[in-house]
Amino acid sequence: MTRITLVQGDITRQTADAIVNAANSSLLGGGGVDGAIHRRGGPAILAECRKLRVGHYGKGLPTGQAVATTAGELDARWVIHTVGPVHSDTEDRSALLASCYRESLKRADELGARTIAFPAVSTGVYGWPMDDGARIAVTTVQETDTAVEEVRFVLFDNHAYEAFARRLA
Ligand code: ADP
C-alpha cells in the first residue's frame, strides 16, 4: 500500500529516498524547482545531467519521461528528473503529465526507493492549472502499481496545498 502525504514547503528541504525535479528537456537547469534543486544540491547533479546529454539523451529528455541522477548535497539518494508538458488550451496533454508521475515511480522502483517527494509538475512556468495538475498527480499515483511506500507531494504555497488536499479528501 502506497501512502500519499502532503507537505507545504520547499522540496529541496525534504528528506526522501528520491526527490523529483520538474526539469526541462535540456536537463541543464532552469527556474522554479529545477533552479532550486541545482542550487541546493550542488554541481554533482548538473555534472551527471551533462553526462546524460552526451550519452543516451543527446536530444534531451522527452516530455513525460524520467531519469535519475545523484542527489548531490540534498538529503536524498537520487533526484529523478521528469519533464512535464507545457499546458495548452487547444491540445489535451494530460497523458504526458500523468506519464511524468508514472515514469518517475518506475525509476524509483528500479532504484529501490521507498519514499519519494514530488513537486506539482507543470504547474509553474509550464502553466498547468493547479486544480487539474493536482487531479492528475493524485489519480495517477493512486492508479500506479509501485513498491514505493510513501509518495509525498511537496507544495510550495497554500494554494497548491489546498488543491491537493481537496483531491485527497
Ligand atoms: P514547471 O516548469 O514544470 O511548471 P516549476 O518549477 O516552474 O515547473 O513549477 C512547478 C511547481 O513547483 C509550481 O507549483 C511552483 O510553485 C512549485 N515550486 C517552485 N519552487 C519550488 C520548491 N523549491 N519546492 C517545491 N515546489 C516549488
Side-chain angles (χ1 to χ4, degrees):
M1 261 309 270
T2 307
R3 223 159 18 102
I4 296 179
T5 58
L6 304 183
V7 168
Q8 189 181 331
D10 179 347
I11 198 164
T12 68
R13 305 277 175 176
Q14 294 294 308
T15 301
D17 290 338
I19 290 177
V20 176
N21 182 16
N24 60 59
S25 71
S26 82
L27 290 176
L28 301 179
V33 173
D34 202 5
I37 281 180
H38 285 291
R39 260 193 315 277
R40 203 169 162 76
I45 302 173
L46 193 57
E48 221 178 303
C49 286
R50 287 215 173 88
K51 279 189 204 153
L52 289 169
R53 284 302 307 275
V54 297
H56 193 67
Y57 294 104
K59 291 181 182 160
L61 181 66
T63 304
Q65 295 193 20
V67 67
T69 66
T70 173
E73 289 156 39
L74 298 178
D75 194 4
R77 295 172 70 187
W78 305 283
V79 168
I80 296 175
H81 307 262
T82 191
V83 182
V86 175
H87 185 263
S88 161
D89 288 327
T90 55
E91 189 188 4
D92 181 8
R93 300 177 179 164
S94 346
L96 285 168
L97 185 52
S99 174
C100 288
Y101 291 98
R102 213 163 30 237
E103 289 297 309
S104 296
L105 287 170
K106 219 183 268 179
R107 294 297 89 72
D109 279 336
E110 289 161 4
L111 293 162
R114 291 291 176 264
T115 55
I116 185 169
F118 277 103
V121 178
S122 285
T123 64
V125 172
Y126 284 0
W128 209 285
M130 188 57 77
D131 281 330
D132 199 51
R135 175 186 68 81
I136 292 167
V138 169
T139 50
T140 304
V141 168
Q142 285 171 337
E143 288 167 1
T144 301
D145 188 27
T146 172
V148 170
E149 289 162 6
E150 183 195 0
V151 171
R152 190 184 314 145
F153 290 110
V154 183
L155 296 323
F156 209 38
D157 56 23
N158 192 251
H159 165 68
Y161 183 92
E162 290 301 331
F164 276 72
R166 276 194 300 274
R167 266 293 142 191
L168 271 182

